[in-house]
Amino acid sequence: MRRTPTAGRTLGTALGALVSAGALLFAGSATATAAATAAAEPAAGTPSAAVHEQSASAESLASFWTAERMRSAEPLDVLPLGASDLARLGPQSVAKGEKSTVAPTSADRTAVGPTAFPQQGGPWSGGGAVVQTSGRVFFSFDGRTASCSGNAVTSANESTVITAGHCVKYQGSWHTDWVFVPGYHDGQAPHGQWSASQTLTTPQWEASEDMNYDIGAAVVQPLNGSTLTDVVGGQGLQFNGGYNQDMYAFGFPAADPYDGEKLIYCSGATSKDWLFSNDHGMSCNMTGGSSGGPWFAQFDEGSGTGLQASVNSFGYVFWPNRMFGPYFGNEAQSLYQTAQNS
């Protein structure tokens, strides 16, 4: 299931010479709870999230996701988009409202020094909170084990993970055996494996896999009597924050030249996609498995904290080393509110 950039159908006669269409890349404290609850609600009329109840027990998943199975899990297939897919790649209207933020969960983290900015892709050696809040996501899809990336965020239930929509549901099927492993490295789960009780996505992704709304979430079960962000902390969030911001993207790419065993990051100025989506774009060479990893605005290298404003989502095969992530507007905010209040 490695990336095959030359495969696929064209986007139609006019674009056929230019593209073989874009593909999915790769595819707590009382203070924190109050901050999450106080976040502005999405605009009235915004559709609520699509929710899927996960059935596997935490005990069975702990036995299933061995170190060997985590290492061997592969990223989702990268499937080219044909002419019939243009409707979900077109510049659909992404509902926007007032800018609002959720503060990171207070946590005592080791301070770190500055790293490279901009960075097109390399191992994160800075430390800080992001090393604990970000992690790999593992699940079963279409009879095989697969991986994505995700991030723990401040939430009222102290148990919310943000990822990509195609990391919870893809090609009409919800993923099963879903776990989040924060701080993953080299087959290890230093903070445990957190099994999902629910996975969620936007109504637009659930209905038609609209790339503009490729956002997912999970509510994970307590582990050893503790909640997720009580153990690893939680990053903040930004909704309706606008375009053209400096951002940092993190993930666990598992396709060549990466192996999924280390946290990788990109950083740089972002801009709005001027082709077929309303997404943010960033110069970044992360590959399969990085899908769902967080993009941060106002990222502080000194503490490794920021405001999550997107996720790794897709790339165009004719535009190498460019990553795109959905705009966190009203729909993303509604998804977050549904998840954190579950």
Side-chain angles (χ1 to χ4, degrees):
M1 294 187 292
R2 295 302 187 195
R3 183 167 174 251
T4 54
T6 58
R9 298 161 290 166
T10 60
L11 284 175
T13 304
L15 297 176
L18 176 63
V19 303
S20 190
L24 292 179
L25 275 178
F26 337 78
S29 68
T31 300
T33 300
T37 305
E41 292 287 344
T46 301
S48 59
V51 181
H52 176 71
E53 301 291 336
Q54 293 284 328
S55 59
S57 68
E59 293 75 14
S60 65
L61 292 180
S63 300
F64 181 77
W65 288 110
T66 62
E68 179 181 358
R69 189 163 276 144
M70 288 191 294
R71 287 194 183 100
S72 64
E74 297 188 13
L76 291 177
D77 289 334
V78 179
L79 303 177
L81 302 178
S84 63
D85 299 303
L86 277 176
R88 64 189 176 97
L89 262 184
Q92 307 293 329
S93 176
V94 176
K96 300 178 177 66
E98 294 296 322
K99 179 178 178 180
S100 64
T101 61
V102 177
T105 301
S106 299
D108 185 13
R109 300 287 180 252
T110 302
V112 295
T115 57
F117 184 96
Q119 167 64 262
Q120 194 174 26
W124 175 256
S125 58
V130 70
V131 174
Q132 298 191 166
T133 64
S134 61
R136 286 187 81 177
V137 169
F138 297 97
F139 49 86
S140 295
F141 166 69
D142 196 25
R144 61 189 187 268
T145 57
S147 70
C148 276
S149 301
N151 180 61
V153 295
T154 297
S155 57
N157 59 14
E158 301 182 344
S159 301
T160 298
V161 176
I162 299 295
T163 185
H166 68 273
C167 295
V168 297
K169 185 179 186 290
Y170 191 38
Q171 296 181 337
S173 298
W174 290 90
H175 305 323
T176 60
D177 304 323
W178 205 100
V179 298
F180 174 59
V181 184
Y184 176 93
H185 65 87
D186 304 306
Q188 303 301 307
H191 309 296
Q193 298 177 352
W194 299 76
S195 59
S197 59
Q198 293 180 334
T199 47
L200 310 88
T201 190
T202 60
Q204 294 85 355
W205 182 261
E206 196 277 337
S208 62
E209 297 188 354
D210 185 331
M211 298 289 284
N212 292 289
Y213 303 95
D214 183 19
I215 310 164
V219 178
V220 297
Q221 302 179 56
L223 183 63
N224 299 323
S226 298
T227 56
L228 175 63
T229 60
D230 186 49
V231 174
V232 302
Q235 298 284 355
L237 298 105
Q238 179 189 86
F239 301 105
N240 292 300
Y243 292 95
N244 305 314
Q245 304 182 64
D246 288 344
M247 292 191 190
Y248 286 68
F250 291 83
F252 290 82
D256 292 338
Y258 300 108
D259 61 7
E261 299 303 304
K262 295 178 177 61
L263 180 62
I264 305 298
Y265 85 106
C266 299
S267 62
T270 65
S271 61
K272 184 178 180 180
D273 180 16
W274 50 270
L275 290 173
F276 301 123
S277 79
N278 280 297
D279 285 22
H280 303 281
M282 179 193 297
S283 179
C284 185
N285 69 6
M286 284 195 280
T287 58
S290 64
S291 288
W295 289 35
F296 295 112
Q298 300 179 33
F299 186 76
D300 178 15
E301 291 184 344
S303 63
T305 60
L307 304 178
Q308 184 166 353
S310 189
V311 295
N312 298 319
S313 175
F314 81 96
Y316 298 111
V317 295
F318 61 89
W319 195 352
N321 301 324
R322 188 77 178 174
M323 181 79 78
F324 293 87
Y327 183 87
F328 274 20
N330 291 350
E331 292 82 1
Q333 189 173 11
S334 180
L335 171 67
Y336 164 71
Q337 294 288 3
T338 301
Q340 75 153 345
N341 291 318
S342 296

